[in-house]
Amino acid sequence: MLKWIFDRVMAAAGLLALCPVLAVVAVLIRVRMPGGPVIFRQRRVGRGGRLFTMYKFRSMTVGHGGSSVSVAGESRITPLGHVLRRYKLDELPELWNVLIGDMSLVGPRPDVPGYADRLTGEDRDVLRLRPGITGPASLKYANEEEILALVDDPQRYNDEVIFPDKVRINLQYYRSHSLAGDIRLIFATIFRSYSDTATPPDHLTT
């Protein structure tokens, strides 16, 4: 209950405080990325496996198609979108998802439908949590798009390496999360500091 109250109070405060930033980003998208919506909507898997609509600032071209796995340098990501994604500004509208109860400030990132079906046994405990804007797995893989840009098969690497590792990290969070820990993760996100940030495999950096 305390986490529930904290999430909504902080989401409301964040939306109010960030109104000028939200407005500027919206105008930039309208001017620099015409012909499409400002807000990108996508169905994601939430608590208990329930689907919900997640809101983000649009960072890609309209009608691009393509994989659900994003790779740094892709042509479908616009120059402005690249900046928004680099500084996580595209995720600010998710504060609305937190306010209405679909998400939490801290938790596992919500996956697109299909990935939750791969969870078996105790791994499904991850679905007991509300998905979050940030979390330990999100911080470790803050440079995920750059890592995927270095591999020959980004989809396979995501499915066989990154996704299982995220599940492991999220299970650890599920078993030991606390409000104090959430607050530390929020500050780590704001200041982009985390001791276990992922790095590309050695054989990909030579």
Side-chain angles (χ1 to χ4, degrees), residues 115 118 140-141 144 147-148 151 153-169 198-201 203-204:
Y115 278 94
R118 305 182 185 189
K140 179 174 181 178
Y141 287 99
E144 178 178 332
I147 293 175
L148 291 175
V151 301
D153 190 338
Q155 184 71 59
R156 181 178 179 183
Y157 191 82
N158 176 77
D159 293 352
E160 296 182 359
V161 179
I162 294 180
F163 178 72
D165 192 37
K166 285 182 177 180
V167 172
R168 177 188 62 82
I169 295 168
T199 56
H203 71 281
L204 297 176

Side-chain angles (χ1 to χ4, degrees), residues 97-148:
N97 286 115
V98 177
L99 186 64
I100 63 177
D102 289 330
M103 294 178 63
S104 175
L105 292 175
V106 181
R109 286 296 297 167
D111 285 313
V112 296
Y115 278 94
D117 299 332
R118 305 182 185 189
L119 299 173
T120 59
E122 66 176 7
D123 288 353
R124 293 192 66 81
D125 285 343
V126 170
L127 297 177
R128 294 175 179 268
L129 296 165
R130 283 188 177 85
I133 295 178
T134 189
S138 301
L139 284 166
K140 179 174 181 178
Y141 287 99
N143 60 339
E144 178 178 332
E145 293 184 1
E146 286 74 17
I147 293 175
L148 291 175

Side-chain angles (χ1 to χ4, degrees), residues 190-202:
I190 293 172
F191 297 105
R192 299 295 296 275
S193 60
Y194 194 61
S195 60
D196 194 25
T197 302
T199 56
D202 291 339

Side-chain angles (χ1 to χ4, degrees), residues 4 13 20 23-24 29 35 41 68 71 87 114 128 134 144 166 170 180:
W4 187 89
V24 169
I29 293 173
R41 298 169 175 82
S68 61
V71 178
Y87 295 102
R128 294 175 179 268
T134 189
E144 178 178 332
K166 285 182 177 180
N170 289 329

Side-chain angles (χ1 to χ4, degrees), residues 18-30 38 57 92:
L18 293 170
C19 270
V21 176
L22 295 168
V24 169
V25 173
V27 170
L28 286 174
I29 293 173
R30 182 62 68 192
V38 169
F57 280 125
L92 291 180

Side-chain angles (χ1 to χ4, degrees), residues 55-117:
Y55 302 96
K56 301 178 71 171
F57 280 125
R58 181 168 65 90
S59 60
M60 295 186 179
T61 57
V62 177
H64 57 77
S67 169
S68 61
V69 174
S70 298
V71 178
E74 285 186 290
S75 60
R76 61 179 177 165
I77 302 175
T78 69
L80 174 61
H82 174 73
V83 174
L84 297 180
R85 295 166 78 95
R86 179 179 180 183
Y87 295 102
K88 308 300 182 184
L89 295 174
D90 61 317
E91 297 179 3
L92 291 180
E94 293 170 34
L95 288 170
W96 175 254
N97 286 115
V98 177
L99 186 64
I100 63 177
D102 289 330
M103 294 178 63
S104 175
L105 292 175
V106 181
R109 286 296 297 167
D111 285 313
V112 296
Y115 278 94
D117 299 332

